[in-house]
Amino acid sequence: MASPEFPSLERSLEEHLPPDELRNVRRILLGGEPRKLSLPAEALAAASELDFELAAFGFEAAEEQLRPARLVRVGLVQNRLPLPPCAPVAEQVGALHRRIEEMVAVAAQCGVNVVCFQEAWTMPFAFCTREKLPWTEFAESAEDGPTTRLCQRLARAHGLVVVSPILERDEAHGDVLWNTAVVVSSSGAVLGKSRKNHVPRVGDFNEATYYMEGTLGHPVFQTPFGRIAVNICYGRHHPLNWLLYSLNGAEIIFNPSATVGALSEALWPIEARNAAIANHCFTCAINRVGVERFPREFTSGDGKPAHRDFGYFYGSSYVSAPDGRRTPGLSRTRDGLLVAELDLNLCRQTGDIWNFKMTGRLGMYAEELTAAAQPDYRPHIVKE
Amino acid sequence: MASPEFPSLERSLEEHLPPDELRNVRRILLGGEPRKLSLPAEALAAASELDFELAAFGFEAAEEQLRPARLVRVGLVQNRLPLPPCAPVAEQVGALHRRIEEMVAVAAQCGVNVVCFQEAWTMPFAFCTREKLPWTEFAESAEDGPTTRLCQRLARAHGLVVVSPILERDEAHGDVLWNTAVVVSSSGAVLGKSRKNHVPRVGDFNEATYYMEGTLGHPVFQTPFGRIAVNICYGRHHPLNWLLYSLNGAEIIFNPSATVGALSEALWPIEARNAAIANHCFTCAINRVGVERFPREFTSGDGKPAHRDFGYFYGSSYVSAPDGRRTPGLSRTRDGLLVAELDLNLCRQTGDIWNFKMTGRLGMYAEELTAAAQPDYRPHIVKE
């Protein structure tokens, strides 16, 4: 894995490559020179004061005759825990609420219309421990828990849509837990929720000890700023998950995540970007930052000695466009807000160019998958 | 697009980054330091003499108690046309046959067990022209055309499996054309064929003028060196295409392609690699090299003046492993042979770690896709 203190791939290239080589490398790596947006001076000053990275890029589309440009600004927030996991639950939640309030205020100054936080943003990613208390105390009602109420206040105050991934306590169904993203409209109303459809059993990701696969399907939310969906964390490894959000009309798919260097860093630049390409939509991949040290030791099923942390979360949040372009990633080490201005007209334009929906042969695959899902499926293997 | 003469991303990084930064960058970009294989001196000398790049890398797996390592060497061949498209058909085919014979002999010296050539390797990629003659004259029988007979001789002479993508003339079904890969066993027998399942209508890729989508499904070929499949060119943009080859048991999926810089270069490192990750298998992406200049001008549906070439094919062939590692790409500008030693045990090992098949919820997606393929499907959109 890359070392925890390595700040970012893109910065390394910028520092060391001669300008013409950098241009060629960026065309291959990022799909072209990223177009930087200029931001208000007060937002830049606030980000510096509050010690987080602030970067902003734009993706334009071609001009059309019948549709005006549909410009939307998304904000991706990545952050470390302000307090350690050993602090009292209420204090940890309070500190995270305050941090996010600060960062959302800057997002609003930057004209952000839809902001998305990292997975399970109100808590440490404690599922590595397999302990229940105190971690399950971070779970809240998606409809009217304190975090959703905070998001409603933020949405109304700033006129933006908030995507808030939390650990949900579902009191209406026997108090079970879910990994859920709450979508709050810019009006302040809870528009709905989306649940993690695929639950990992890999490395220290012992989430299956806490919650099951979501049963809400692949909802897409019509907001004043376009149709959005939320593919939570490990769901990004499953191309079918992205596809179904896209078939339901998503123009932007957020992927709030929590993932660590040793496991997934080489996969990170690939999967959400592939999904943007394959589905003619924008994707927004968000990862938390830093090392979270737990009060009690646990093992990792790898034969190594017990220890107290999960490894380091490498940030690197980024946005991919349907035509394969992407922004540079945010830092691997610092809190950050990535602003991206998207012209949503690019989705249909790219689809009309590449035609993956038209050439996708959905009916054939529906039949083949139905067959493959049968208990007595026999793979099509040709032998000599 | 990156400029035609830019030799390769990886070489640029090697030349300019300090060693410790290069290590960090490679861990993120390639999933780690590529393990170079040493090759016989006579192979290196022959490659130099014959003016093609020769590179070799290895992907190891963990040792198991019940299965020995299953080492397979694949060879990916990328090349430019030895003769221009205006040369007589028979001479062009003959020159390509001779070039491939030379390169396969070197592959055999390097211990390659399965060799794969680029898409429609016996001809210029003339589908941009929309002309029928003389280009349809390059079509051959998959079962006993001169190219298949050449591949049978090569297979027997060197004891290797040959994957030979050609333009097929299907005489048994009314003389229609297909874009087909013929798989020849190391015994010299034609093991079977696989056809391009998705046909592009993008840019100058006017292939739909010449042939239709394949109807052979997603066959996987059991060879003495593991189970292989062939996802031809534009099929790499369709995650379901990769998935079905994988569900049928493919351990290595070849992706012989012909694609040009302006259109797809930013997508190239993403899609085949994502498929390796998502499906716990190896993928081998192959692209041709150079500019092919046609005798008569054609237009590109972009309002620009008529012209005689398709743009440049940027090579950059590479192999991806199921754990997300990849080899550096071959050159963007030169003929090349990429040798990769794969321990196929890594496929099941990676599946047991990441579990994408187990967590993939195939039955749910079979139902959702069946619904989505209906003419009256109503997307799941939540409104305020």
Side-chain angles (χ1 to χ4, degrees), chain A residues 106-333:
Chain A
V106 177
Q109 289 175 329
C110 297
V112 164
N113 306 115
V114 185
V115 67
C116 181
F117 312 137
Q118 63 203 20
E119 182 184 21
W121 73 269
T122 64
M123 61 180 293
F125 214 71
F127 311 113
C128 49
T129 66
R130 303 192 310 287
E131 303 162 345
K132 296 302 170 91
L133 286 173
W135 315 118
T136 54
E137 293 194 76
F138 284 91
E140 301 183 26
S141 158
E143 285 72 25
D144 57 8
T147 296
T148 295
R149 289 200 304 272
L150 168 74
C151 293
Q152 293 179 291
R153 285 196 301 278
L154 292 173
R156 274 191 294 263
H158 301 300
L160 41 68
V161 171
V162 179
V163 180
S164 170
I166 61 168
L167 184 63
E168 179 191 2
R169 172 75 74 184
D170 184 6
E171 295 183 9
H173 296 88
D175 248 353
V176 298
L177 302 180
W178 299 98
N179 186 314
T180 299
V182 183
V183 179
V184 178
S185 174
S186 49
S187 69
V190 175
L191 191 47
K193 61 190 176 186
S194 190
R195 287 186 182 138
K196 188 167 186 164
N197 276 327
H198 300 271
V199 178
R201 284 88 165 154
V202 52
D204 275 342
F205 290 84
N206 299 313
E207 295 159 69
T209 301
Y210 298 83
Y211 44 79
M212 305 285 280
E213 285 75 13
T215 54
L216 299 179
H218 295 84
V220 168
F221 302 94
Q222 177 71 62
T223 79
F225 312 108
R227 291 189 303 273
I228 68 173
V230 196
N231 175 349
I232 302 176
C233 197
Y234 181 82
R236 79 179 168 282
H237 307 300
H238 292 277
L240 276 163
N241 202 30
W242 296 101
L243 174 64
L244 264 293
Y245 289 118
S246 168
L247 288 175
N248 283 330
E251 296 168 300
I252 309 168
I253 307 179
F254 292 95
N255 176 234
S257 299
T259 185
V260 291
L263 188 70
S264 67
E265 192 162 2
L267 285 54
W268 181 252
I270 305 299
E271 293 164 308
R273 191 170 176 198
N274 191 73
I277 296 166
N279 298 295
H280 308 315
C281 65
F282 290 94
T283 62
C284 303
I286 305 170
N287 186 24
R288 63 174 65 199
V289 182
V291 175
E292 304 181 350
R293 208 165 299 280
F294 291 95
R296 290 163 297 277
E297 65 182 8
F298 56 88
T299 57
S300 292
D302 59 2
K304 293 191 185 142
H307 51 280
R308 298 193 178 186
D309 75 79
F310 207 139
Y312 72 98
F313 298 95
Y314 53 81
S316 307
S317 304
Y318 70 100
V319 175
S320 287
D323 58 4
R325 285 180 292 167
R326 58 158 287 184
T327 68
L330 283 179
S331 160
R332 298 175 71 252
T333 59

